[in-house]
Amino acid sequence: MKKIILALAMASAFSVQAAEFTQVQPDKSAINFVYKQMGVAVDGKFKKFASQLNFDPAKPTAAKATFDVELASVDTGAAEGDQEVAGKTWFNTKAFPTAKFVSTSVKALGGNKYEVAGQLSIKGKTQDVVVPATFAAQGNTGVFDGSFTIRRADFSIGEGSWAKFDIVANDVLIKFRITATSK
Amino acid sequence: MSYTKTAKALHWLMAILLFGLLALGFYMHDLPLSPDKLKLYSWHKWAGVTAFLLVGFRLLWRLAHRPPALPDSMPKLMQFAAHAGHLMLYLLMIAIPLTGWLMSSAKGFQTVYFGVLPIPDLLNKNKEVGDLLALVHKSLNLLFIAVLAAHISAALKHHFIDKDDILTRMLPKH
């Protein structure tokens, strides 16, 4: 009897360890950002994005993540801002409809902390980014939380009269919460 | 009897500031989005916070330093109208920046005084509330313009028709 229980316990432990989180839940996930306008922090978000995810906490280095963010789904906090940033000087969504993040490597930092290195492409420009993230799982649902800062000028976001940083700051904080389930 | 130097300074300082705020508010509102528009909005908010602080100080000063009485030559009804008009001006000088502050919060654009001192948000972001407060802010300003027009007309009437010292006693050298 003891052996059976032990075997069951090991099997269940193994199955938890082997859980691979692949199914991103869009309604429980969010990609938000914070930009500064003359010292005022303003919240924005992207309402639509597609993603592919393979994350097994037991094999973090094998993890992969790809995100395609629909830039026209931006909410800058004001309707006239949404229109403006779709235009040529900002995202130019007609020519560059999506922003893409592709992970290149994942490091486990201990505890529930991870560091995801990847390439971020916006408006035809690609930059290496390092994204710190935490992961917490409950049953077959896992939640990734993290934030990182990009410089909008690196991607030519906000050109022409917007290019100076005195009105809209260069640094933009990207915050995300991604909820995924395992099969 | 005359006003204190401080009361006069506050009156004229706020006259300049409030005319500037009114003109800026109506001008910036219809501009297409540009860096200049965002700059003007920030300046308008900073000036509005300044006006709010000044009116607070002005009220305290007024409580401590009673303004000179209206001349006995004025009919009682006119005296009542003058007091009611000034009360309206003070109420609007408080309510207008207050609604601007609340509107900023409701629209999700916090007021940060001179870009460094964040003024707490009293409301959460809410588009409907923001739009409603924008309408209230505008309506109160239209009312303010009407009361200001009456205020200035009355001062000129006192000076040119009644030939009393109501206007001149607010001047610096009186």
Side-chain angles (χ1 to χ4, degrees):
Chain A
M1 187 64 189
K2 266 188 181 170
K3 272 186 184 170
I4 296 169
I5 292 170
L6 192 65
L8 279 173
M10 279 176 71
S12 72
F14 181 74
S15 75
V16 165
Q17 291 244 309
E20 189 174 37
F21 294 85
T22 53
Q23 310 293 309
V24 173
Q25 310 292 306
D27 55 325
K28 289 177 194 145
S29 302
I31 298 179
N32 300 325
F33 57 89
V34 182
Y35 63 102
K36 277 214 164 185
Q37 181 190 291
M38 289 184 84
V40 182
V42 186
D43 294 316
K45 64 176 176 241
F46 292 102
K47 289 178 239 165
K48 285 188 198 159
F49 57 91
S51 52
Q52 286 176 303
L53 182 73
N54 295 89
F55 179 79
D56 181 347
K59 291 179 282 182
T61 51
K64 282 196 176 86
T66 305
F67 289 91
D68 290 283
V69 179
E70 201 173 305
L71 293 173
S73 76
V74 69
D75 176 355
T76 59
E80 64 177 357
D82 302 348
Q83 265 186 350
E84 174 70 22
V85 298
K88 273 191 178 167
T89 55
W90 291 90
F91 289 139
N92 193 4
T93 55
K94 279 202 183 119
F96 305 99
T98 53
K100 194 178 189 73
F101 173 82
V102 182
S103 69
T104 48
S105 73
V106 178
K107 261 198 286 190
L109 301 178
N112 61 347
K113 290 191 174 72
Y114 298 89
E115 197 175 82
V116 184
Q119 290 193 312
L120 181 63
S121 306
I122 311 172
K123 209 180 180 182
K125 297 202 162 53
T126 300
Q127 293 274 327
D128 290 320
V129 291
V130 175
V131 182
T134 60
F135 175 75
Q138 222 175 13
N140 69 338
T141 304
V143 178
F144 298 87
D145 271 304
S147 65
F148 61 106
T149 301
I150 63 165
R151 288 188 299 251
R152 66 182 179 90
D154 291 347
F155 302 94
S156 305
I157 301 169
E159 296 176 81
S161 61
W162 296 101
K164 284 203 292 177
F165 307 127
D166 55 345
I167 306 296
V168 179
N170 195 10
D171 284 357
V172 179
L173 179 71
I174 315 283
K175 296 195 290 189
F176 60 88
R177 159 163 285 203
I178 306 296
T179 303
T181 55
S182 59
K183 271 183 188 161
Chain B
M1 217 190 140
S2 184
Y3 290 94
T4 59
K5 277 203 172 63
T6 308
K8 288 179 186 175
L10 283 165
H11 173 271
W12 292 109
L13 187 63
M14 288 197 69
I16 295 165
L17 186 64
L18 297 183
F19 271 106
L21 269 160
L22 276 169
L24 182 54
F26 281 99
Y27 170 71
M28 71 186 194
H29 179 255
D30 292 326
L31 288 177
L33 184 58
S34 70
D36 283 341
K37 180 177 186 175
L38 296 181
K39 193 186 282 175
L40 294 178
Y41 265 76
S42 288
W43 289 354
H44 181 85
K45 290 185 188 188
W46 302 346
V49 173
T50 307
F52 193 52
L53 294 173
L54 279 175
V55 78
F57 176 64
R58 194 171 166 190
L59 278 169
L60 289 175
W61 186 267
R62 194 189 163 103
L63 284 174
H65 306 82
R66 219 181 145 73
L70 294 168
D72 291 335
S73 56
M74 270 176 81
K76 279 281 171 286
L77 187 67
M78 292 305 245
Q79 295 205 10
F80 173 78
H83 289 310
H86 288 138
L87 180 66
M88 278 292 280
L89 285 174
Y90 276 107
L91 287 177
L92 288 167
M93 282 191 288
I94 295 164
I96 289 169
L98 208 54
T99 52
W101 175 11
L102 293 171
M103 166 174 49
S104 294
S105 297
K107 284 184 175 280
F109 292 84
Q110 191 184 18
T111 304
V112 180
Y113 200 30
F114 297 118
V116 289
L117 182 70
I119 311 290
D121 280 325
L122 299 183
L123 290 176
N124 287 326
K125 187 172 174 177
N126 181 314
K127 192 182 179 298
E128 285 72 34
V129 175
D131 290 345
L132 177 69
L133 281 164
L135 183 66
V136 173
H137 190 67
K138 186 183 175 183
S139 307
L140 289 179
N141 273 295
L142 292 173
L143 180 61
F144 188 53
I145 290 172
V147 183
L148 270 184
H151 177 69
I152 294 164
S153 308
L156 293 175
K157 174 189 174 278
H158 277 284
H159 187 67
F160 290 110
I161 297 173
D162 301 336
K163 300 192 192 304
D164 58 25
D165 70 342
I166 288 287
L167 174 67
T168 52
R169 72 186 190 176
M170 188 47 99
L171 296 177
K173 282 186 178 161
H174 185 74

